[in-house]
Amino acid sequence: MANDDTKKYSGELHQGADRSAPYPVSRLAPAFELVDLAKQISEADKMLNTRVSSKLKVIADQIRHLQDEARQILEDTQKDQELHQAACNFQRQPGHIYHLYRKPNGQTWFSMLSPDDWQGQPPNEYIGSYRLEADMAWTDMATVNDDEGDETRELVKRLLEGHGL
């Protein structure tokens, strides 16, 4: 046996349980090579980078979607503001459809009369028909599916009537 003067290693020896030793304490334990440890660290880094990259990609996609949604909201608001500025000689009521025309000088105005009501000869250029919604937004009737819109409006109307609103 070697005495304390001929120790192979210097420094303090691990004093705790074998399972918590920072180095193998038995000849039966698997040998740890520095290359193996470096490989394990490299693989862990790759896995973490892959996980982080995929999570950041999801967030980036969500940001793009939110930017598109914000852009659409701003465009819709601008269009609604332009429609509210159109001349009108009557009180606008939510749920009603109004027809927008443009005079030769560029001024727009709403009428309750559609181009058909003018027997196809409206006094000015016809721009489109819009329904004023309860939230004071405008719905372009050219983009509405008539069957779906009517059913939804009827359902909302019945619900509101049932609650005395």
Side-chain angles (χ1 to χ4, degrees):
M1 290 286 264
N3 62 23
D4 286 338
D5 295 335
T6 60
K7 281 186 184 177
K8 190 171 183 180
Y9 301 105
S10 62
E12 286 189 39
L13 295 176
H14 176 70
Q15 299 296 319
D18 289 352
R19 68 177 183 273
S20 66
Y23 50 81
V25 291
S26 166
R27 283 184 277 170
L28 299 175
F32 289 101
E33 295 291 326
L34 188 55
V35 174
D36 293 334
L37 184 58
K39 184 178 176 185
Q40 185 181 20
I41 290 171
S42 175
E43 288 176 14
D45 285 347
K46 287 179 187 175
M47 292 295 286
L48 288 172
N49 286 338
T50 301
R51 189 180 80 195
V52 167
S53 294
S54 66
K55 286 183 176 183
L56 289 175
K57 183 184 179 311
V58 168
I59 291 171
D61 290 343
Q62 290 172 341
I63 289 171
R64 275 193 289 281
H65 175 72
L66 289 171
Q67 287 173 330
D68 291 343
E69 195 171 325
R71 193 174 299 112
Q72 186 62 49
I73 289 169
L74 292 172
E75 289 173 6
D76 291 347
T77 300
Q78 182 178 8
K79 179 79 171 174
D80 287 345
Q81 286 174 335
E82 290 172 4
L83 290 171
H84 278 291
Q85 292 172 3
C88 186
N89 292 330
F90 49 85
Q91 185 176 1
R92 300 174 190 152
Q93 297 291 322
H96 293 267
I97 297 174
Y98 302 107
H99 310 280
L100 187 67
Y101 298 91
R102 180 180 295 127
K103 294 181 180 180
N105 66 4
Q107 180 186 14
T108 55
W109 58 281
F110 274 116
S111 172
M112 290 185 207
L113 301 176
S114 72
D116 293 338
D117 295 331
W118 298 94
Q119 282 114 21
Q121 301 275 335
N124 297 120
E125 175 191 3
Y126 171 71
I127 305 298
S129 297
Y130 299 88
R131 182 178 60 235
L132 182 61
E133 304 297 344
D135 64 355
M136 302 310 282
W138 293 94
T139 300
D140 185 347
M141 297 310 293
T143 64
V144 173
N145 178 346
D146 289 335
D147 296 334
E148 180 182 313
D150 288 342
E151 290 174 12
T152 303
R153 276 194 305 282
E154 284 301 315
L155 176 61
V156 169
K157 185 177 178 182
R158 283 192 308 241
L159 290 171
L160 291 175
E161 287 172 354
H163 290 288
L165 297 175

